[in-house]
Amino acid sequence: MARDDKEIGCETAEEAFRRIALECGAAFAASHARTMEEDDPEGPHKARVALRRLRSALAAFDQILGAGFARKAGRRARRLFRILGELRDADVLAGHRTDGPEASAATREADRMRRKVRKRLRRAEAESFAPKLAQRLETRRWLRGNRRARALAAQPARRLGGRALSDAWAACLAHGGDLAAMSDEARHEMRKDLKTMRYTVEFFGEIWAGKAQARFLGRMKELQDALGHLNDLAMLRREGALDAHHAVAAGEAMQTAGALWSQTAAAPIWWREGEGQARGETSPA
């Protein structure tokens, strides 16, 4: 059910984190079930997205979260994310090899990896991750215990959101502006920070909704697609499967990503730190 402007502006940080974490848990549970029952590559992909979103929420709301809760939830999410990563890589490789004996071999490897990952997920008790997270969130023991953190948790989410957005954006800008000069590993790390920023925008973005934010988020999504394509091509190169067509595609993706990053990095800041400003509030003169 969609929330109206009043609800968006008045939701406390505690309420916002609980809602976001439960949404991430439910999304993971659905995609995990799909991964275990179907061979569709979207299952493990979306399961990983849900886990990354949860880890981004843990970072965004760090000021109010108990250290033990955040550490345990983050460690568990990271472990499941890495297990699923092996299958995701195999599915991507199989998707890029579409003809001849190499395609058949890649498909067989993806099927083998799917069986292996399913066994590892069972051993890791992945099906219990979302229910246990929801059970923990029913109490308030996941909150940090000091007075300042409890007070912040009870305040509107926008008071915490502006700082979370600024921190996530600073991590992105720290990578510099020249994508072509970065190694594959450095671009991959930047891509992860950009994902964290995008998810943080989605957590808090409705509070500062407007044209500037919409343009920023649109460029972020395009940039992530271009960097994701570059990441897939880098994996093909490591596997010795990069042909002339892929090399041309890599050059085009690099140009697209570089232009998008320049535009995005130069965009004006559309959120506010401190108290923040919800939709419907009057801007200061």
Side-chain angles (χ1 to χ4, degrees), residues 239-271:
E239 296 293 331
L242 193 70
D243 57 23
H245 171 73
H246 290 136
V248 172
E252 293 174 348
M254 183 66 75
Q255 287 185 330
T256 299
L260 286 167
W261 176 231
S262 295
Q263 294 168 2
T264 306
I269 299 300
W270 43 263
W271 64 88

Side-chain angles (χ1 to χ4, degrees), residues 58-279:
L58 292 171
F61 288 86
D62 176 69
Q63 295 181 74
I64 68 169
L65 300 179
F69 166 80
R71 183 171 56 251
K72 184 176 180 180
R75 185 168 57 237
R76 186 102 161 86
R78 184 168 55 252
R79 181 187 179 196
L80 296 174
F81 184 88
R82 289 176 174 171
I83 291 173
L84 287 160
E86 296 183 70
L87 176 54
R88 177 62 178 163
D89 287 348
D91 280 334
V92 169
L93 188 59
H96 279 283
R97 286 176 164 168
T98 57
D99 298 309
E102 290 185 347
S104 297
T107 298
R108 289 195 299 271
E109 175 59 20
D111 291 340
R112 185 194 70 80
M113 185 59 68
R114 187 167 283 103
R115 293 191 294 271
K116 176 182 176 182
V117 165
R118 284 170 176 166
K119 289 180 181 179
R120 292 187 64 191
L121 289 171
R122 291 189 188 98
R123 287 199 298 270
E125 299 181 343
E127 73 282 355
S128 70
F129 178 72
K132 286 184 177 180
L133 177 65
Q135 185 178 33
R136 185 70 183 272
L137 291 170
E138 288 179 359
T139 72
R140 300 186 79 233
R141 291 194 296 274
W142 53 271
L143 286 168
R144 190 170 294 193
N146 64 66
R147 184 178 300 177
R148 179 181 177 278
R150 291 292 177 123
L152 182 59
Q155 291 175 358
R158 63 183 181 271
R159 297 179 185 270
L160 182 149
R163 177 63 181 274
L165 285 165
S166 291
D167 288 347
W169 187 227
C172 296
L173 294 176
H175 290 279
D178 191 350
L179 296 182
M182 298 180 189
S183 65
D184 292 338
E185 292 75 14
R187 276 194 302 272
H188 182 57
E189 290 302 314
M190 179 181 180
R191 180 172 171 243
K192 291 194 291 185
D193 284 336
L194 286 166
K195 284 184 178 182
T196 297
M197 179 62 186
R198 175 181 165 185
Y199 298 147
T200 307
V201 171
E202 292 171 352
F203 297 153
F204 299 105
E206 290 178 280
I207 297 172
W208 292 280
K211 292 182 179 179
Q213 183 215 121
R215 284 193 296 269
F216 180 89
L217 191 54
R219 289 195 192 107
M220 287 282 287
K221 291 178 180 178
E222 291 182 56
L223 177 58
Q224 283 185 312
D225 287 343
L227 289 173
H229 190 36
L230 284 170
N231 189 60
D232 290 348
L233 292 171
M235 183 182 70
L236 290 177
R237 185 170 58 252
R238 290 193 298 271
E239 296 293 331
L242 193 70
D243 57 23
H245 171 73
H246 290 136
V248 172
E252 293 174 348
M254 183 66 75
Q255 287 185 330
T256 299
L260 286 167
W261 176 231
S262 295
Q263 294 168 2
T264 306
I269 299 300
W270 43 263
W271 64 88
R272 291 175 53 192
E273 289 196 43
E275 292 187 2
Q277 182 175 330
R279 283 190 288 176

